[in-house]
Amino acid sequence: MRRRTFFTLAAVPALLTACGPGDLSGGPEPQAKLSFRNRLRIPPLAPSTVDKDGVRRFELTMQRGRTELLPGKPTDTYGFNGSYLGPTVRARRGETVRMVVRNELGEQSTVHWHGMRLPARMDGGPHLPIAPGATWSPQWTITQPAATSWYHPHPHGATAMHVYRGLAGLFLLDEPGGPTLPSAYGVDDVPLILQDKNLAADGSLAGDPLKGTFGILGNTVLVNGTYDPYLAVESRRVRLRILNGSNARMYDIRFADRRRFHVIANDAGLLNAPVEVDQVSLSPGERAEIVAEFAPGEQVVLRSIGGSADIDAGDLDLLKIVAAKQLKASPPLPDRLADRHIDVPAGAKVRRFKLNGHDSINGQEMDMTRIDEVVAAGAREIWEIVNNVYSHNFHIHEVAFRVLDVDGAPPPAYATGPKDTVFVPGKSTVRLAVEFGQDTDPNWPYMYHCHILRHEDSGMMGQFVVVPPGTESVVPRVLGAHAGHSM
Ligand code: C2O
Ligand code: CU
Ligand code: CU
């Protein structure tokens, strides 16, 4: 079954002119200016208990509900333990966690732990469906450094709709003995989940996340599900953990007064040292942790400044920060944050991934029965992502990587930390140094894909297995319908 290609490459510029660059999905233009009337919601921290075997247990229920995304106009939404988004899970390196996930959506879904190093059977990709009414309880030991990870559904072909309706949450990883940083959750360590929606006049979620070149580029930006938000702060320095949880939109984030701030972490953990900037760009699925400074009594707006890409057009207000008249002192930002080096040895294996149109990689659409790549445990490889078309990005499960270069030039200093998702601009090549973990399983794959969910769902995704070194050539490339696999 071949899907029709919606737009040829040549048709894209014409479409941009016809509809205006801000919205390719047919809705109204994004509302650029906000009045900041609503206090920013902070997702609650997920409660946990300790099971008899000493494993820390979290419970997440996927459910339907109604949420006032726009005041007075309830919207049918999905959420974890509530009607929209999910609680923030927080665990420490060295702990074993058990996630008890119950599906009460009335339709099949999965839950993927984005940014997590774990065995493939726990990863929650499209091979691990949770039937309606069923419970899935993966468990793993956290072996990776501190990071801002997240979780979201990953059912093949329906990820875009499930995320768009509201299924997403943060998964914060702490590391004992890490640097001293603002860390009072929701106080001076504040999550910001950025998502754009196409909200109709009656408040309903409009737009088809599987239509057009990019699916949803919405008219309304929500932060933690809050429309028109402000954040009150009470200390001089505030850490913002920003997740681009949008289906397709990219954000070029800066303060309206262009004040400088520090980036302290990328997707997969801390930078070795803070990097001072006045802007960070995040494509879907990417995270950045920043530390910004405020003066007593001031107010400043965080905005997204339309960039040059086709998925970040238009200037958009995101959030107003309102500083208290008296601000508590904050500890100074450390000069050094980590000592992490993702490098590849000389002669490292190079794999090439060519992004085609909006639905395939290396000329092939995603096939759940096909293993595209076999990787040796602990490998360090160069993955080269070649994009001859419009904006895409690239996410790899299980790994951490470092961006080596974009069209031969090094990335900006703030984006040289550990990552798991990277923007791949139109007509460019991005090279990554990729660090694979030690969990092996020839029968359960991990995914790599474009995190523009319209593309991911359309087949711009591939599968790799991690196997014991030396066994790469004997691994079957076709997955049988063995127990637990649903194809
Ligand atoms: Cu956040 Cu495979 O995805
Ligand atoms: Cu992922
Ligand atoms: Cu894409």
Side-chain angles (χ1 to χ4, degrees), residues 112-115 123 152 154 395-398 449 451:
H112 165 57
W113 319 102
H114 179 135
D123 182 58
H152 63 78
H154 215 302
H395 166 52
I396 313 176
H397 289 205
E398 195 274 337
H449 56 88
H451 218 287

Side-chain angles (χ1 to χ4, degrees), residues 18-227:
C19 303
D23 191 343
L24 298 181
S25 54
E29 285 294 306
Q31 186 180 347
K33 287 276 172 203
L34 295 175
S35 44
F36 314 106
R37 265 179 287 226
N38 304 310
R39 179 179 278 268
L40 178 74
R41 293 176 199 169
I42 303 293
L45 285 172
S48 64
T49 52
V50 179
D51 280 346
K52 280 202 203 70
D53 54 3
V55 172
R56 185 124 166 250
R57 172 195 186 95
F58 293 90
E59 300 195 357
L60 295 174
T61 298
M62 309 170 85
Q63 59 192 74
R64 292 175 183 242
R66 278 166 81 70
T67 309
E68 275 195 26
L69 296 178
L70 293 180
K73 295 179 178 174
T75 305
D76 289 320
T77 51
Y78 287 4
F80 292 95
N81 299 359
S83 68
Y84 191 79
L85 295 177
T88 297
V89 179
R90 195 157 197 173
R92 280 189 318 279
R93 188 174 188 171
E95 274 190 303
T96 302
V97 294
R98 175 174 294 133
M99 308 303 298
V100 180
V101 184
R102 188 170 170 75
N103 179 359
E104 286 177 1
L105 295 174
E107 64 175 305
Q108 180 176 291
S109 193
T110 84
V111 178
H112 165 57
W113 319 102
H114 179 135
M116 204 71 71
R117 169 152 286 171
L118 38 52
R121 291 191 68 146
M122 310 298 167
D123 182 58
H127 292 273
L128 292 152
I130 316 171
T135 298
W136 175 59
S137 304
Q139 70 173 68
W140 69 93
T141 300
I142 291 159
T143 59
Q144 69 197 86
T148 299
S149 304
W150 63 301
Y151 59 95
H152 63 78
H154 215 302
H156 190 43
T159 297
M161 191 46 105
H162 287 198
V163 172
Y164 187 50
R165 288 193 175 144
L167 288 167
L170 287 169
F171 202 134
L172 308 185
L173 300 177
D174 299 317
E175 178 149 18
T180 303
L181 292 165
S183 57
Y185 181 77
V187 179
D188 64 3
D189 180 358
V190 179
L192 302 179
I193 304 172
L194 308 181
Q195 296 177 304
D196 59 330
K197 307 286 170 190
N198 260 325
L199 292 174
D202 65 356
S204 62
L205 274 174
D208 184 342
L210 296 181
K211 278 229 170 89
T213 309
F214 300 110
I216 297 294
L217 285 168
N219 56 16
T220 305
V221 179
L222 305 176
V223 185
N224 302 343
T226 321
Y227 172 67

Side-chain angles (χ1 to χ4, degrees), residues 135-398:
T135 298
W136 175 59
S137 304
Q139 70 173 68
W140 69 93
T141 300
I142 291 159
T143 59
Q144 69 197 86
T148 299
S149 304
W150 63 301
Y151 59 95
H152 63 78
H154 215 302
H156 190 43
T159 297
M161 191 46 105
H162 287 198
V163 172
Y164 187 50
R165 288 193 175 144
L167 288 167
L170 287 169
F171 202 134
L172 308 185
L173 300 177
D174 299 317
E175 178 149 18
T180 303
L181 292 165
S183 57
Y185 181 77
V187 179
D188 64 3
D189 180 358
V190 179
L192 302 179
I193 304 172
L194 308 181
Q195 296 177 304
D196 59 330
K197 307 286 170 190
N198 260 325
L199 292 174
D202 65 356
S204 62
L205 274 174
D208 184 342
L210 296 181
K211 278 229 170 89
T213 309
F214 300 110
I216 297 294
L217 285 168
N219 56 16
T220 305
V221 179
L222 305 176
V223 185
N224 302 343
T226 321
Y227 172 67
D228 205 13
Y230 73 89
L231 168 69
V233 301
E234 290 176 355
S235 52
R236 256 196 112 73
R237 284 193 191 84
V238 176
R239 174 188 197 171
L240 301 171
R241 301 184 188 241
I242 311 173
L243 160 66
N244 181 347
S246 299
N247 282 51
R249 186 178 290 283
M250 173 157 163
Y251 300 88
D252 300 298
I253 299 160
R254 59 164 80 145
F255 288 97
D257 62 2
R258 299 202 61 170
R259 75 182 53 200
R260 300 180 74 77
F261 56 89
H262 286 91
V263 179
I264 59 167
N266 294 156
D267 314 321
L270 292 167
L271 287 153
N272 287 339
V275 175
E276 194 182 310
V277 295
D278 68 359
Q279 177 176 320
V280 282
S281 296
L282 293 180
S283 69
E286 288 184 289
R287 289 87 71 208
E289 294 182 34
I290 69 171
V291 174
E293 278 189 44
F294 303 100
E298 75 169 342
Q299 304 195 348
V300 61
V301 174
L302 195 64
R303 314 202 71 211
S304 177
I305 306 301
S308 55
D310 37 15
I311 48 173
D312 63 353
D315 292 1
L316 300 168
D317 285 348
L318 300 174
L319 171 79
K320 182 158 84 177
I321 293 166
V322 178
K325 298 242 153 29
Q326 311 246 299
L327 292 177
K328 291 184 198 99
S330 303
L333 197 56
D335 292 336
R336 299 295 300 170
L337 299 168
D339 188 22
R340 192 160 168 196
H341 304 274
I342 302 178
D343 287 311
V344 292
K349 188 171 177 66
V350 179
R351 298 182 204 247
R352 215 157 189 254
F353 300 88
K354 206 168 160 226
L355 309 179
N356 313 112
H358 70 278
D359 61 3
S360 53
I361 299 176
N362 290 339
Q364 291 187 294
E365 276 185 33
M366 160 76 167
D367 180 340
M368 301 260 295
T369 67
R370 185 186 70 231
I371 297 300
D372 298 282
E373 307 293 334
V374 177
V375 176
R380 302 281 181 278
E381 300 186 348
I382 292 178
W383 282 30
E384 188 173 303
I385 322 302
V386 181
N387 177 7
N388 291 328
V389 281
Y390 38 79
S391 291
H392 287 297
N393 76 2
F394 201 80
H395 166 52
I396 313 176
H397 289 205
E398 195 274 337

Side-chain angles (χ1 to χ4, degrees), residues 391-393 450 452 455 460:
S391 291
H392 287 297
N393 76 2
C450 178
I452 292 175
H455 301 171
M460 188 171 270

